[in-house]
Amino acid sequence: MQEKSAHHIAIIYSSGRKNGNTTAQVNAYSKQQSGIVFCLDDYVISPYRYDKQYHNDDFYNLFEVLLRYEHWVFASPVYWYNTTPKMKAFMDRITDYMDDEALKPKLRTLRQKQFSLLSNAASPSAPDAFIDMFKHTFNYLGMTFKAHSHVQAS
C-alpha cells in the first residue's frame, strides 16, 4: 500500500473508541505511508434522507476535500460483520452524489481512484461480509481495490 506523498492518501476512519485499536492502526499506517487522517467521528454526517434535508451537516464539505486524494484508505473495527454507524452513514451519503445530476460528474472522478481497507477485531481475520461491503460499494463506484490489512485486536 505505498503511495508517492501525503497529498495522495486520505485515511478515513471511525471507531467507537477515539484512542483504541483502530486509531493505533491508522496512526501506524499514516506514519508509514504519510497519509492525511480524517476521523469521521469528528464530523456531523447525518443519515441519508430522500428529501436531502440536512442541517449543520459536514458530509458535502468533507467529500469535496476527499475528492482531491487519489487513494482512499478506509479503517474501521469490525462490529457484528459490519462497520461503525458513522462509516456506514458516510457510505450511504455517497448516494446524494448519485441522485443529483449536478454532482454526478464529481462522483465519476472516483473511477480514477484507488481504495484500501484497514480492519481490526478480536478474530484473527476480518469476515468476508465486512470486506465485501467495502469492495462491492467502492468497486460499484469505479474505484480500484488495492489492499486490505487486518489486525487481531487484544
Side-chain angles (χ1 to χ4, degrees):
M1 291 197 278
Q2 300 233 343
E3 288 293 329
K4 299 174 187 166
S5 74
H7 301 294
H8 295 284
I9 303 173
I11 305 167
I12 306 157
Y13 86 102
S14 176
S15 179
R17 289 187 299 153
K18 188 72 170 181
N19 294 310
N21 295 314
T22 304
T23 302
Q25 189 179 18
V26 163
N27 289 341
Y29 182 88
S30 177
K31 184 176 180 182
Q32 181 183 30
Q33 300 296 328
S34 301
I36 302 299
V37 176
F38 298 88
C39 180
L40 295 179
D41 305 308
D42 294 337
Y43 297 89
V44 175
I45 301 174
S46 302
Y48 176 78
R49 295 176 52 115
Y50 288 101
D51 65 9
K52 309 286 188 276
Q53 298 300 310
Y54 306 112
H55 302 288
N56 301 317
D57 186 90
D58 298 320
F59 176 76
Y60 289 116
N61 289 333
L62 174 61
F63 198 75
E64 293 294 321
V65 169
L66 293 173
L67 287 173
R68 299 177 194 151
Y69 293 85
E70 300 303 315
H71 183 194
W72 292 9
V73 179
F74 297 97
S76 174
V78 179
Y79 292 148
W80 290 97
Y81 303 94
N82 211 329
T83 188
T84 66
K86 186 70 79 154
M87 181 70 75
K88 182 66 169 92
F90 173 84
M91 293 168 72
D92 289 347
R93 286 292 300 283
I94 295 171
T95 304
D96 289 345
Y97 279 74
M98 300 168 107
D99 293 345
D100 187 325
E101 290 300 322
L103 296 176
K104 281 184 182 180
K106 291 181 180 186
L107 187 64
R108 289 185 190 110
T109 66
L110 294 179
R111 296 175 183 169
Q112 291 101 43
K113 300 185 187 304
Q114 299 175 322
F115 74 99
S116 294
L117 180 60
L118 303 176
S119 63
N120 65 81
S123 61
S125 62
D128 289 340
F130 176 85
I131 298 166
D132 288 346
M133 176 186 58
F134 285 92
K135 281 186 172 180
H136 290 305
T137 299
F138 292 100
N139 281 334
Y140 177 82
L141 295 170
M143 296 178 81
T144 303
F145 178 69
K146 193 167 179 186
H148 171 235
S149 176
H150 180 80
V151 172
Q152 185 172 9
S154 53

